[in-house]
Amino acid sequence: MGRRPLSRILAAILLCYSAVRLAPAQDAIATGPPNLLEGAARLYSIDEGSTFSAEPPSVPPREVARVVIKLSFEVPQAIRSLASMGDYTSLALSHDAATASLRALRFVLNDQEIALPLEGMLYQTVPGIDPGLLRSGANTLVVEMTVFNRSRESDMVFAPLISLSALRSSDLEFQIGPLLGAFDEGSLGVTCRTNMPARVSIYRIEDAE
């Protein structure tokens, strides 16, 4: 039997969750991932962390400043237990600082530096953080941002919103794609991006004819 042309082949993208345990069906109707930083105490520093203040710093026009933000928050025992059992499979750290004003980023959770997906890139969301970094009770997140005030006239008060979301496997979703790239009779390329680490499988389904 001859090979059917690629135009008659359907490429199906199936996401296989990387969690050891499958999330219960009722997870799908949850109101959304909990933000662990809700109600967190914030302190700011513009002197390499030597001194901190509750007052957000102001960056003068056309100036660069290295701002250290320390967030202290509590993690309930229930959430930490669910994370250790695999119910929460990933953490996602997000901020709303304009990337055009950023020059460098660094995140440290409970004295453990969070690796960026690609070093040197400026991310507004860092996915795939190990929930095992959380502790029951007191936790500390340190965010270091080198920022540039692009204005020529006014100071920039720098107080970005920051969230740390605990994700279940049922929160998995596509952010980009899937997109079909280059292909020929024997191969094809598919690009996609998800909001947490996932195994992506590509299956070729031929027509019934």
Side-chain angles (χ1 to χ4, degrees):
M1 180 180 296
R3 178 181 295 175
R4 291 185 174 89
L6 189 62
S7 60
R8 301 178 66 83
I9 297 173
L10 173 65
I13 308 299
L14 299 180
L15 290 181
C16 302
Y17 298 144
S18 57
V20 175
R21 295 177 55 196
L22 292 177
Q26 58 266 31
D27 289 349
I29 60 174
T31 56
N35 176 17
L36 302 179
L37 298 182
E38 187 171 352
R42 283 173 166 246
L43 293 174
Y44 301 88
S45 173
I46 53 173
D47 58 5
E48 305 291 331
S50 297
T51 60
F52 284 88
S53 170
E55 190 72 21
S58 292
V59 183
R62 311 303 292 177
E63 292 289 330
V64 175
R66 184 167 177 264
V67 180
V68 180
I69 307 172
K70 182 185 294 185
L71 299 104
S72 301
F73 61 102
E74 296 286 324
V75 172
Q77 174 63 39
I79 289 183
R80 181 63 185 88
S81 297
L82 289 173
S84 64
M85 292 188 297
D87 283 46
Y88 288 111
T89 60
S90 182
L91 303 176
L93 176 59
S94 301
H95 66 87
D96 70 347
T99 53
S101 297
L102 292 177
R103 296 296 181 266
L105 286 173
R106 183 170 179 260
F107 305 100
V108 179
L109 178 57
N110 293 328
D111 300 321
Q112 297 293 316
E113 184 163 358
I114 296 172
L116 300 178
L118 186 61
E119 196 64 36
M121 296 292 288
L122 300 175
Y123 294 91
Q124 285 200 303
T125 296
V126 179
I129 301 171
D130 181 6
L133 296 178
L134 295 174
R135 301 169 180 166
S136 296
N139 288 255
T140 301
L141 173 68
V142 176
V143 178
E144 299 178 8
M145 294 181 169
T146 302
V147 296
F148 172 62
N149 183 358
R150 303 173 69 197
S151 173
R152 296 183 180 275
E153 300 178 354
S154 57
D155 289 355
M156 177 180 68
V157 177
F158 191 70
L161 296 177
I162 302 171
S163 65
L164 182 64
S165 301
L167 304 176
R168 299 175 186 264
S169 55
S170 56
D171 294 314
L172 179 63
E173 61 183 22
F174 282 113
Q175 294 179 314
I176 298 176
L179 302 173
L180 180 63
F183 62 88
D184 56 27
E185 285 295 325
S187 64
L188 58 85
V190 174
T191 299
C192 66
R193 180 177 179 179
T194 58
N195 63 336
M196 68 177 76
R199 186 172 66 250
V200 178
S201 299
I202 303 174
Y203 292 87
R204 193 176 78 173
I205 304 174
E206 300 187 42
D207 291 344
E209 298 178 5

